[in-house]
Amino acid sequence: PDAGPVAGGQALPNLFLEPVAIVEGKVNGQAVNTKTDRIPLKIGTGLTLDISHELNADGTMSVVWILKNGSNSIRDLALSAPLGEDVAIDGELKGSIGDAPSYDSATHRLLWHIPWLPAYAGSAKGTSVTASMSLHRDPTITADTPLVGSTTVSARDDFTGSVISLESDPILP
């Protein structure tokens, strides 16, 4: 297999299995031994999304998306989340990699695109893959509607070619 990322000075391989079945027995008193060909099974990456948030009494809120990638690089990583009806952008949107996070006023959504994310990004010691957003909600509003709706994540695993999809719970007051 192709070598994966470099960690600790050594290239890490992409992960795959090659199962082989060996069958032994007797047919009509004759010993029979059969071995199957190797069948390579590629193992997909383990992408995760954690979300931390803090809502202050004055209505200011910080939201941080935290990504951790597994054993394979991924591409076309896209995150999207709708803001609650009464929530507005209140400052800069920052990302540690890829395009800067943005706000689409037509759809009232937070967006973040990362063209390519290396294997183990955010998982290896000293790496961080985060987007931070400063938001605001009028503190006199007491509705229990989501502050930020479910965050959806989509990407493509470079090694397996499979599509990766994740969805978080919404952020509630």
Side-chain angles (χ1 to χ4, degrees), residues 2-165:
D2 295 330
V6 174
Q10 296 188 4
L12 300 173
N14 292 108
L15 302 176
F16 69 95
L17 298 174
E18 289 187 348
V20 176
I22 299 173
V23 179
E24 296 178 349
K26 288 187 177 186
V27 175
N28 295 329
Q30 299 287 348
V32 176
N33 294 327
T34 303
K35 181 179 176 182
T36 64
D37 292 332
R38 290 183 171 186
I39 305 168
L41 301 174
K42 294 181 177 182
I43 297 174
T45 197
L47 181 68
T48 62
L49 168 68
D50 292 319
I51 301 174
S52 81
H53 66 281
E54 182 179 338
L55 177 61
N56 301 311
D58 66 356
T60 58
M61 176 179 23
S62 65
V63 174
V64 180
W65 287 334
I66 306 160
L67 290 168
K68 293 182 180 176
N69 193 18
S71 61
N72 305 333
S73 61
I74 56 177
R75 66 184 59 252
D76 298 325
L77 181 64
L79 291 88
S80 175
L83 290 181
E85 293 175 25
D86 307 312
V87 177
I89 300 296
D90 185 36
E92 199 172 358
L93 306 176
K94 298 178 185 176
S96 64
I97 191 170
D99 302 336
S102 62
Y103 170 69
D104 182 344
S105 59
T107 61
H108 201 52
R109 296 183 82 80
L110 295 169
L111 306 169
W112 189 26
H113 179 253
I114 301 171
W116 183 77
L117 188 65
Y120 301 105
S123 298
K125 185 176 181 178
T127 65
S128 176
V129 181
T130 61
S132 58
M133 294 137 301
S134 297
L135 309 174
H136 185 269
R137 179 181 185 191
D138 183 336
T140 63
I141 296 173
T142 58
D144 284 339
T145 58
L147 300 169
V148 178
S150 297
T151 299
T152 58
V153 180
S154 66
R156 181 165 302 276
D157 186 311
D158 278 344
F159 184 56
T160 66
S162 61
V163 173
I164 300 164
S165 296

